[in-house]
Every structure is written in structure tokens, then in C-alpha cells.
Amino acid sequence: MKKVLLWFWLLTKRQLKSVFFLILLILIPLLSWIVSGMDSLKEEQVNRVALFTRDEDEISMAAVSDLLSGSDCYEFHVCGSEDELMEEVRTGKAECGYIFNDKISERIEKEKYKECIIIVRKENSILADAVSETVFASFFKEFCRKTAIDYVKNNEKFAGMDPEGLIQLEGTFENYLIGNGTFKVEFEMLGEESSFAKTQIIETQAMSFPLRNVMAVLIMAGSMLGVLNWLLDREMGVFAPMRHDFILLSRPLYVFIPSALLGISTIFSMIAIGENSSIFHEILAMLFYVILLTIVGTVCCYFLKKSFTVISAMPVLIIASLLVCPVFIDLSLYLPVIGILRKIFVPYYYMISF
């Protein structure tokens, strides 16, 4: 047992003597922590935007409600009067302000678009242009919802439609407004009865840098590096004077050590960016993944005869893993065969554990 621990320590020490590998182990969690801190700082620096409605118009109130609850980039708030809004913009308490004019719904129906929304901004304000995109997008989402519902209510083609169909339409449109999806309604006339056809919503998720998935591929590369080192040492005759039992044990040790070191670095990175839902889950999933890589790498040490084979295969396997496994995007949504092909790549089994 003492010899096993000694071999383990010597191989670990040898791995850590690689300056590049050591810097990589330290740099990954450090950069993750720095980037995470910068993101937190950005979240704290939220720009305030003032809102005011001159009446309780349906579209205006719905747009204001949507802005108050739906924006992560700006802090929208409602002022009690126009003078208060002007004062906040003038003193810098608000970056800009938006006054929703009275009877906006009526103005739009009569195609009188002038001054429906009054923008109050500081001179040379760059941010106000970006805020305007958010405000008008929210306003027209609510306008489109009302238009769609009013169209169905007032169109004689749907006069016999079951009231539940209208409720379904309104509810589905509400889901569209609060989600990141596309909205499609199909009406189909079947004989004498009207049938409210199906609604299709395609959901999309907000993208963020998939650090865990990228690290899964990097850890796999580390295990392949262990296989390469073992083959190189065998070719140079390092194992010639060694006992047979050490040669047997050396195969999994060569693969396990770099994989485990990168796995520990990954766990610290997940903690640094606050993505770990459970530290126990993180450790358990990583332990399973490292053991799986060790088994696969050990088998490769038995069957591969030349180090050149690993050198040639490494870039191919890394690129293939990045493309086939759902690292940045899940290509199986577009090419179903990818869903079958990715099951032969070891990183996939770590990714699906979260």
C-alpha cells in the first residue's frame, strides 16, 4: 500500500512540475472568480428609468406593468407626476423618462401616432437610445396582444367560436409575452362547427458561457494526455526495470491523476461563479466522470501501441466533442442522428448529470 501511495505521489508531483499544466489549474478558477465578480458588479450598477402615464389606458398600463416586472438591464419605476419625472432626469436620479400620453389606444386606432410617448432624456445621453428600444418593444407587445384578441372578437368568421377558445388564445399570448418563444395561431373551419386549432410555442433559452461543458471536454483532453504520457514512457523504456505490478497499476494512475486535478479545478471554478446547486452533487458527478475517463483511458493504454496515434486523435476527438456534445448548442434538435452519435463521447455523460 505504501508503494502505491508513493507511486501516486511521484506521478502527481511529476504532473505538477509541468508549468503550463500548473498555471492552467490555478488560472481556470481564478479567471472564473474574476469574471463572476465583474458580472455581479454590472448587476449592481442598474440604470434607473422613470415612467408616467397620463391616464389609465389599457395598453399604457399593460406596457408599464411589463416594464416594471420584466427588465434585468434597467430599473423602471413609476413617478407620481410629470414634474417629478422631469426633476429626476434633471438631477440624474433617472437616466431618462417616458411619459405615456392620454388615450393612446384611441390615438393609434385613428392613426394619430404623434407624441403617443414623450421621451425625456439628458443631452448627449447614449443609454436613452437603448432604453427606448426596450420601452417601445414592451409597448408594441401589449398592442399586438390587444390587436390579436380584438380581431378574433370582432371578426364575423369567429362569431361562433367557443368562449374557451378566446381564453386559450389570450392565455397563450400571455405565455408568449413573458417567454422567449415564437407565437403562431392557426384557425381551421371544420364543417358547420368552428374549431380553435393548435398553438405552437418554440422555447429558446438565454445563453451564457457553458463553463462546465467546456471543462468536461478539457478534462477528457487531460485523460488523453495521461494516455499519451504512458505510451511515451513505454516507448522510452521507462517501465523496463519496473515490476510487473507497477506497470499494471501505472496505466490507470497515468490517466486518473491529470483528470482528477482538472476535475478539482473545475469544482472550484463552479463554486467561484456560484453555479453549483449542491457541492455534494458536483463532487459525485465529477468522481463518476473521472472514474469513467480512467476506465476508458486504461483500456486505450492496452490497445494503443504508438503515441503518434494519440497525438493524431486528440484534436479530432476534442473538436468532435465540442460539436457533437451539447457544449454550446444542442445540434440534435436539427440533426436527430447527433443524439445517437454523441453517446459514444464520454463528456456527454458528465453534461447530462446536471
Side-chain angles (χ1 to χ4, degrees):
M1 185 63 184
K2 289 182 179 179
K3 288 185 178 180
V4 173
L5 293 176
L6 177 62
W7 291 338
F8 183 87
W9 165 246
L10 290 175
L11 288 174
T12 304
K13 186 176 179 181
R14 177 190 178 187
Q15 195 71 54
L16 293 176
K17 279 187 176 181
S18 171
V19 178
F20 174 77
F21 189 76
L22 183 60
I23 292 175
L24 185 66
L25 291 176
I26 299 173
L27 205 58
I28 292 172
L30 182 61
L31 288 177
S32 300
W33 177 73
I34 293 173
V35 172
S36 177
M38 292 173 62
D39 290 340
S40 300
L41 184 62
K42 289 179 181 178
E43 289 176 1
E44 293 175 359
Q45 297 175 345
V46 179
N47 296 284
R48 289 170 56 85
V49 180
L51 304 172
F52 177 74
T53 58
R54 288 181 174 174
D55 62 6
E56 295 185 357
D57 181 88
E58 180 183 353
I59 299 180
S60 297
M61 298 304 292
V64 169
S65 178
D66 180 63
L67 290 169
L68 292 175
S69 61
S71 177
D72 297 326
C73 301
Y74 315 109
E75 184 181 320
F76 290 97
H77 65 281
V78 179
C79 294
S81 65
E82 292 185 37
D83 291 338
E84 181 183 344
L85 183 147
M86 297 283 189
E87 182 65 16
E88 287 196 4
V89 176
R90 186 185 66 81
T91 58
K93 291 182 179 179
E95 180 67 26
C96 52
Y98 295 83
I99 301 173
F100 292 81
N101 216 330
D102 56 349
K103 300 179 181 179
I104 284 185
S105 298
E106 184 179 331
R107 288 169 181 264
I108 294 177
E109 288 175 2
K110 294 180 179 180
E111 299 184 1
K112 296 181 179 180
Y113 308 118
K114 188 177 180 179
E115 296 183 355
C116 284
I117 298 178
I118 301 171
I119 305 173
V120 181
R121 56 184 291 178
K122 292 183 291 186
E123 188 177 2
N124 300 324
S125 174
I126 299 175
L127 185 64
D129 293 331
V131 180
S132 294
E133 294 287 341
T134 301
V135 172
F136 287 114
S138 180
F139 177 82
F140 281 104
K141 281 195 301 183
E142 299 300 334
F143 170 73
C144 291
R145 180 190 64 81
K146 184 176 183 300
T147 300
I149 295 171
D150 288 346
Y151 175 79
V152 176
K153 283 182 178 180
N154 301 324
N155 195 308
E156 59 182 12
K157 291 182 180 180
F158 311 113
M161 187 177 69
D162 193 313
E164 292 185 1
L166 189 62
I167 295 173
Q168 183 181 357
L169 170 63
E170 187 169 2
T172 304
F173 209 106
E174 289 295 336
N175 290 333
Y176 158 70
L177 291 178
I178 63 176
N180 297 322
T182 57
F183 180 84
K184 184 174 80 171
V185 178
E186 294 180 358
F187 294 98
E188 185 178 355
M189 305 300 294
L190 300 176
E192 297 179 356
E193 297 183 0
S194 299
S195 174
F196 185 79
K198 54 187 175 184
T199 301
Q200 180 179 355
I201 299 178
I202 304 174
E203 295 293 342
T204 58
Q205 296 181 345
M207 296 294 293
S208 58
F209 184 74
L211 178 62
R212 182 184 282 112
N213 294 349
V214 173
M215 288 303 299
V217 179
L218 182 60
I219 296 170
M220 181 200 69
S223 70
M224 295 178 67
L225 185 64
V227 175
L228 176 62
N229 287 333
W230 190 88
L231 292 172
L232 287 172
D233 284 352
R234 188 183 67 176
E235 291 171 1
M236 291 187 294
V238 173
F239 300 128
M242 300 292 181
R243 290 169 46 183
H244 181 67
D245 56 349
F246 172 76
I247 298 175
L248 289 176
L249 184 62
S250 65
R251 292 183 178 93
L253 283 180
Y254 267 69
V255 181
F256 176 81
I257 289 172
S259 303
L261 290 174
L262 285 168
I264 294 171
S265 179
T266 300
I267 291 175
F268 279 112
S269 299
M270 293 300 106
I271 295 173
I273 64 177
E275 283 195 11
N276 57 311
S277 55
S278 167
I279 187 64
F280 177 75
H281 184 199
E282 289 281 352
I283 295 174
L284 194 63
M286 183 58 68
L287 182 61
F288 165 78
Y289 183 49
V290 170
I291 291 175
L292 185 60
L293 286 172
T294 301
I295 294 172
V296 174
T298 302
V299 172
C300 290
C301 288
Y302 276 100
F303 288 95
L304 297 178
K305 302 302 181 182
K306 298 292 183 179
S307 59
F308 179 76
T309 306
V310 180
I311 295 173
S312 303
M314 278 185 70
V316 176
L317 286 175
I318 291 172
I319 294 173
S321 297
L322 291 172
L323 293 176
V324 175
C325 296
V327 178
F328 299 101
I329 185 172
D330 188 357
L331 291 178
S332 65
L333 297 174
Y334 311 99
L335 298 172
V337 69
I338 296 294
I340 301 173
L341 185 61
R342 67 189 179 189
K343 292 180 181 179
I344 66 175
F345 291 85
V346 183
Y348 169 71
Y349 296 97
Y350 177 66
M351 296 176 194
I352 62 174
S353 62
F354 293 92

